[in-house]
Amino acid sequence: MTAQRGDPISTETRINDRIRVPEVRLVGPNGEQVGIVRIEDALRLAQEAELDLVEVAAQARPPVCKLMDYGKFKYESAQKARESRRNQQLTVIKEQKLRPKIDTHDYETKKRNVVRFLEGGNKVKVTIMFRGREQSRPELGYRLLQRLAEDVQELGTVEAAPKQDGRNMTMVLAPTKKPAKRPAAQQAPAEAEPQA
């Protein structure tokens, strides 16, 4: 199968003998610009420094190559990718459905669910479902959503205000950010200073 125009030839980084161009723009191991050199000279410099010649910008004319330890480079880039995945936070939207003429006990149960979701760090989409003649009284749903927002205001804030959507009225609550807790080792010296 032949490569079609515009398709990437290879996504893998080319190093040392895999770089097949007559000349490259060479960057030294400490980031200094060496200049445009023949590929043979660049490979010889890499061998003398006991480093790899790594292509860092294949699209440039001529391609940019850097002298570096490729194994260390791959390890550090894998560490950075792992760290960025760890720092990503997956937001989940939970849904809680209510009716405009909800009983007090049922309301308290639904409110406890919303509180539990917010404490778990999840967003909550609260939906009021209107049926029949209830659709002519959207203010009942609006007041119920406002009451719920006030009841859970210490745990969550209104991210999307109540809005009518056909037979439903929806509102989105987002958890409030909790202050980051410092480890006990950092707190101990700070507490010891005022006594001195």
Side-chain angles (χ1 to χ4, degrees):
M1 183 174 127
T2 59
Q4 301 223 342
R5 187 180 173 118
D7 288 350
I9 307 280
S10 172
T11 57
E12 191 174 325
T13 305
R14 293 187 293 191
I15 62 169
N16 298 331
D17 295 332
R18 292 193 180 143
I19 302 170
R20 305 225 180 259
V21 290
E23 58 186 19
V24 296
R25 181 175 302 276
L26 189 62
V27 178
N30 299 321
E32 70 276 3
Q33 295 287 332
V34 176
I36 297 175
V37 296
R38 292 186 8 240
I39 190 68
E40 298 86 16
D41 297 336
L43 287 168
R44 184 179 44 75
L45 286 171
Q47 271 185 336
E48 288 172 2
E50 296 182 4
L51 295 170
D52 296 306
L53 183 66
V54 181
E55 189 175 60
V56 290
Q59 303 303 322
R61 291 289 168 244
V64 179
C65 293
K66 185 173 181 180
L67 296 173
M68 67 173 79
D69 183 353
Y70 186 63
K72 184 178 177 184
F73 169 73
K74 273 180 70 172
Y75 173 76
E76 287 174 353
S77 60
Q79 289 289 88
K80 284 179 188 171
R82 191 176 300 123
E83 187 67 30
S84 68
R85 279 196 305 271
R86 186 182 305 139
N87 290 338
Q88 282 181 343
Q89 192 171 11
L90 184 66
T91 55
V92 179
I93 297 182
K94 302 281 190 173
E95 186 169 17
Q96 189 64 62
K97 295 186 176 185
L98 308 167
R99 297 291 314 280
K101 297 179 180 175
I102 191 169
D103 185 52
T104 307
H105 176 72
D106 292 340
Y107 171 79
E108 290 300 321
T109 303
K110 302 283 188 176
K111 184 178 85 171
R112 273 198 307 272
N113 288 341
V114 170
V115 166
R116 191 184 51 181
F117 295 150
L118 290 172
E119 285 174 343
N122 298 315
K123 291 184 180 182
V124 183
K125 178 181 178 184
V126 184
T127 305
I128 306 274
M129 300 175 298
F130 295 100
R131 227 188 270 160
R133 290 186 183 175
E134 292 173 346
Q135 286 183 301
S136 64
R137 302 283 310 273
E139 67 276 0
L140 292 175
Y142 184 79
R143 274 187 285 195
L144 187 60
L145 290 174
Q146 289 296 329
R147 177 179 159 200
L148 181 64
E150 288 172 13
D151 288 348
V152 298
Q153 69 183 0
E154 64 275 353
L155 295 172
T157 57
V158 177
E159 187 175 83
K163 68 175 185 184
Q164 188 80 27
D165 183 25
R167 290 185 171 194
N168 299 329
M169 183 178 279
T170 60
M171 172 179 77
V172 178
L173 296 168
T176 53
K177 301 278 188 260
K178 294 181 181 176
K181 294 181 181 177
R182 294 190 308 171
Q186 289 180 351
Q187 289 178 349
E191 293 169 1
E193 288 174 17
Q195 295 173 355

